[in-house]
Amino acid sequence: MSDERPEPGTVRPGGRTAKVREAVLRAAGDALAEDGFDRLDLAEIARRAGVGKTTVYRRWGTVPGLVADLLTEMAEESLPRTETGTLLGDLTAQARLVQSTLSDTRQGPLFKALITAAACDRQTADALHRFYRIRTEEWAPCVTAAIERGEVPEGTDPAEVIRAVSAPLYYRLLIGGDPIDRAAADRAALAAATAARAGAFAVRTANG
Amino acid sequence: MSDERPEPGTVRPGGRTAKVREAVLRAAGDALAEDGFDRLDLAEIARRAGVGKTTVYRRWGTVPGLVADLLTEMAEESLPRTETGTLLGDLTAQARLVQSTLSDTRQGPLFKALITAAACDRQTADALHRFYRIRTEEWAPCVTAAIERGEVPEGTDPAEVIRAVSAPLYYRLLIGGDPIDRAAADRAALAAATAARAGAFAVRTANG
DNA sequence: CCTTTAACGCAACTGGAGTCCCGTTATGAG
DNA sequence: CTCATAACGGGACTCCAGTTGCGTTAAAGG
């Protein structure tokens, strides 16, 4: 009633173990982008990665478990952020980055599959939330700067503005099915910037 | 090389066939809401519906196929729309309706599962797009009315405004994981109304 | 009411995703 | 360098989602 054995791969994370993880996560990303979440077969991923299927089942167990690990990996690599000097400029840059990611032949289906996996499994959902919380925090400073410039009212929630830019694009990816083009990105950025300047994302303090 | 046989259930759609469809779709909705898309078993649905599993496999074949039919059914039942006289009022009513749906114990998981299924299957995705196109068109008149009142610039795309209201709430459901509360709904409606009044959803005509 | 056959239901069957056993490799400590 | 064992790999095995065959029930037409 004591031996909680450590996760495989944590005790001896030397060369081979790390190479296996890298190869499997890479193969998982490829397979997710090509086939989607539901058609995923761990044996197929093992084959792609040049690894025994027993290894994949032992270390990750299930498809959602593997996806969760992939998301943790993805959360660690960071993207450079642009600084244009205006809120609209910064938000447009963000929207276009999201747009080019979601309309990319590999990344679009991959993100769709990641979100799908998260909808099916709690652990994966937590990993996804962490991933987007990090991304949101990376972009938040451009709103903070706008507040300091006086472009946007005090009390505005930066994260809420950032999410407002992305949301319409993800809506298209997952629900509406409409094309995710540059016009859609620019419109999302403009709408978010306009609403932010008007104070739509400010906390409702007692103001007369 | 000729006999394209008709879809089962279309030739003789009398009492029994209709009852079976109703019971199966009902059971499918329950199972989706409770277990989610990936844990779905057609045999389990057959058991719940009090129907032979062969019947379910023969008429719908796969889980996405069944979900697509469920979406078609759901698209036919319509929701009443409120008219408050102002764009913000109408959009707030819409946002709160979406909010109460997505935070409902049954409907929230159900919609998450429906969107997940659509992400995995083309036929289901088409059904989902039709469903939301219909819902969007049902709400669009409140934007059209705002244009006629002069509250919103000419050339504003009504559907785009409606989607802008829903998008942040679906983003929370599927991606961010933040709670879908009334404050979020009201903020989404306020942001969309503000952006719409400022012309953020108007087509970019040649204006100096 | 009688006939035809679409659609259903039961039960046996199948294939492949996921598990288990055990021998092999190579990491990290002394 | 040597040893103990974490981690990997191949292959046999299990179990159940999905298929198939065939007899039964009940729409639809006359």
Side-chain angles (χ1 to χ4, degrees), chain B residues 61-81:
Chain B
T62 65
V63 172
L66 177 54
V67 175
D69 195 29
L70 177 60
L71 275 164
T72 306
E73 171 90 359
M74 287 173 66
E76 278 162 21
E77 49 198 58
S78 188
L79 293 175
R81 187 166 49 84

Side-chain angles (χ1 to χ4, degrees), chain B residues 9 11-12 16 51-52 54-55 58-59:
Chain B
V11 175
R12 197 183 272 183
R16 184 166 67 164
V51 157
T54 315
T55 300
R58 192 163 26 218
R59 277 188 68 174

Side-chain angles (χ1 to χ4, degrees), chain A:
Chain A
M1 57 199 72
S2 60
D3 59 340
E4 284 291 313
R5 75 182 35 192
E7 289 291 305
T10 55
V11 175
R12 196 183 273 182
R16 183 166 68 162
T17 297
K19 271 210 161 58
V20 164
R21 177 166 184 252
E22 189 183 11
V24 169
L25 291 186
R26 171 78 200 197
D30 291 347
L32 277 177
E34 289 171 26
D35 301 335
F37 165 73
D38 63 324
R39 279 168 210 158
L40 218 51
D41 172 16
L42 292 193
E44 163 71 9
I45 290 182
R47 201 190 53 74
R48 281 182 192 240
V51 157
K53 76 168 178 171
T54 315
T55 300
V56 177
Y57 278 106
R58 192 164 27 218
R59 275 186 71 175
W60 290 279
T62 63
V63 171
L66 178 55
V67 175
D69 195 29
L70 177 60
L71 275 165
T72 306
E73 171 92 357
M74 287 173 66
E76 279 163 20
E77 50 198 58
S78 188
L79 294 174
R81 187 166 50 83
T82 49
E83 281 277 7
T84 65
T86 67
L87 181 64
L88 180 59
D90 290 353
L91 294 187
T92 302
Q94 182 210 333
R96 287 183 179 179
L97 185 63
V98 173
Q99 180 252 320
S100 64
T101 301
L102 296 188
S103 56
D104 179 79
T105 351
R106 178 188 148 91
Q107 304 247 333
L110 175 58
F111 274 82
K112 193 186 274 193
L114 292 172
I115 294 162
T116 302
C120 296
D121 179 76
R122 178 60 183 275
Q123 181 194 358
T124 311
D126 291 340
L128 187 78
H129 298 160
R130 277 195 296 276
F131 175 81
Y132 278 101
R133 192 164 45 72
I134 290 172
R135 284 285 188 275
T136 304
E137 282 166 5
E138 280 174 359
W139 282 98
C142 79
V143 179
T144 312
I147 296 173
E148 285 165 6
R149 283 194 304 266
E151 199 181 347
V152 162
E154 299 246 359
T156 295
D157 180 359
E160 202 61 33
V161 178
I162 299 303
R163 286 192 286 259
V165 173
S166 295
L169 302 174
Y170 281 94
Y171 186 93
R172 281 163 180 258
L173 178 73
L174 299 164
I175 297 168
D178 307 278
I180 305 173
D181 50 22
R182 178 157 287 207
D186 290 354
R187 211 181 305 122
L190 176 59
T194 305
R197 280 196 293 254
F201 300 110
V203 289
R204 223 62 60 92
T205 52
N207 63 344

Side-chain angles (χ1 to χ4, degrees), chain B residues 3-92:
Chain B
D3 58 340
E4 283 291 315
R5 76 180 36 191
E7 288 292 305
T10 54
V11 175
R12 197 183 272 183
R16 184 166 67 164
T17 297
K19 272 210 159 59
V20 164
R21 176 165 185 252
E22 189 183 11
V24 169
L25 291 186
R26 169 78 200 197
D30 291 347
L32 277 177
E34 288 171 26
D35 301 336
F37 165 72
D38 63 324
R39 278 168 210 158
L40 218 52
D41 173 16
L42 293 192
E44 165 70 10
I45 290 182
R47 198 190 54 75
R48 281 182 192 242
V51 157
K53 75 167 179 171
T54 315
T55 300
V56 176
Y57 278 107
R58 192 163 26 218
R59 277 188 68 174
W60 291 280
T62 65
V63 172
L66 177 54
V67 175
D69 195 29
L70 177 60
L71 275 164
T72 306
E73 171 90 359
M74 287 173 66
E76 278 162 21
E77 49 198 58
S78 188
L79 293 175
R81 187 166 49 84
T82 48
E83 282 276 7
T84 65
T86 68
L87 180 63
L88 180 58
D90 289 354
L91 294 186
T92 302

